[in-house]
């Protein structure tokens, strides 16, 4: 069995948003054997100027994108449906299923229950999330996936900045299919 390939990418801030306290956001992604998707976000910056939620117990929550959170959009290449995962530095998470562009509902229960680990340092925050793709419908297993990786960062003034691999529209829109630029093949 070949070893998993790790891809490390940089997120860019949307031109309509700005956050001078963030020095950069990188994301490492690998698709491991057993169809596990591992994502590691590193947010570097001046954390005294950023709002990071406290760390409670891991649980599901809604509207995490209204504050600092990391996001992952997962689609099967050639299919309109996709999933959205939100991971908060608090350990909270949310998952949504969409049949088409922004047509979806929150997933009920903890069906896709990702594993999340958060490490805080003076100059960076590291958030690791692991998603078991075997819990997805069969068409997601073993096939090529298109991923959109993004983050919302809140500063102490309550302003949000929007970070993604690519911003294809004038307004921040992580659901835009042209922002799902990372292709992961199965192996």
């Amino acid at each position: 069995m070949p070893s998993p390939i790790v891809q490390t990418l940089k997120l860019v801030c949307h031109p309509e948003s700005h956050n001078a306290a963030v020095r950069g956001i990188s994301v490492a992604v690998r698709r491991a054997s057993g169809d596990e998707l591992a994502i590691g976000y590193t947010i570097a910056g001046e954390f005294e100027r950023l709002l990071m939620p406290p760390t409670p117990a891991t649980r599901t929550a809604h509207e995490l994108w209204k504050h600092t959170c990391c996001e992952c959009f997962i689609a099967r290449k050639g299919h309109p449906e996709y999933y959205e995962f939100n991971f908060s530095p608090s350990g909270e998470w949310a998952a949504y299923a969409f049949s088409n562009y922004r047509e979806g509902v929150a997933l009920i229960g903890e069906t896709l229950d990702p594993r999340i680990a958060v490490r805080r340092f003076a100059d960076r925050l590291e958030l690791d999330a692991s998603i078991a793709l075997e819990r997805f419908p069969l068409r997601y297993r073993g096939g090529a996936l298109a991923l959109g990786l993004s983050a919302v960062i809140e500063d102490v003034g309550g302003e949000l900045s929007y970070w993604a691999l690519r911003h294809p529209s004038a307004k921040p829109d992580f659901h835009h299919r042209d922002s799902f630029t990372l292709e992961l093949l199965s192996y």
Side-chain angles (χ1 to χ4, degrees):
M1 170 97 30
S3 62
I5 297 172
V6 176
Q7 297 184 52
T8 302
L9 307 124
K10 300 242 183 253
L11 301 185
V12 295
C13 191
H14 190 278
E16 283 199 1
S17 66
H18 178 70
N19 192 323
V22 177
R23 285 193 297 277
I25 302 174
S26 62
V27 185
V29 180
R30 71 178 166 81
R31 187 170 183 175
S33 61
D35 245 358
E36 180 179 25
L37 182 61
I39 310 161
Y41 297 84
T42 300
I43 303 167
E46 302 169 32
F47 281 85
E48 65 278 358
R49 296 174 51 197
L50 300 174
L51 282 180
M52 294 290 156
T55 308
T58 301
R59 63 185 175 113
T60 59
H62 294 287
E63 298 183 340
L64 294 174
W65 64 84
K66 291 184 174 182
H67 303 284
T68 296
C69 82
C70 299
E71 300 186 5
C72 177
F73 293 80
I74 304 171
R76 177 73 193 264
K77 284 194 62 103
H79 296 271
E81 68 271 358
Y82 62 98
Y83 287 87
E84 173 186 356
F85 283 86
N86 301 153
F87 310 111
S88 171
S90 68
E92 295 171 308
W93 63 275
Y96 304 88
F98 295 88
S99 58
N100 212 330
Y101 176 76
R102 293 191 180 269
E103 293 176 8
V105 297
L107 296 176
I108 298 172
E110 298 184 359
T111 308
L112 298 175
D113 191 17
R115 290 188 311 272
I116 301 170
V118 179
R119 292 171 302 286
R120 297 170 189 256
F121 303 91
D123 63 343
R124 73 187 183 283
L125 179 132
E126 297 173 354
L127 186 149
D128 295 325
S130 179
I131 301 167
L133 295 174
E134 74 253 4
R135 295 180 184 166
F136 280 59
L138 282 174
R139 66 185 162 278
Y140 280 83
R141 299 181 212 161
L145 299 177
L147 268 60
L149 301 169
S150 52
V152 177
I153 306 295
E154 185 176 17
D155 68 18
V156 293
E159 293 294 317
L160 300 175
S161 59
Y162 302 92
W163 301 74
L165 292 173
R166 182 169 184 261
H167 297 283
S169 56
K171 299 279 184 195
D173 183 2
F174 300 152
H175 291 258
H176 195 292
R177 199 57 180 256
D178 290 344
S179 68
F180 295 22
T181 60
L182 177 60
E183 183 176 330
L184 287 183
L185 303 175
S186 65
Y187 68 103

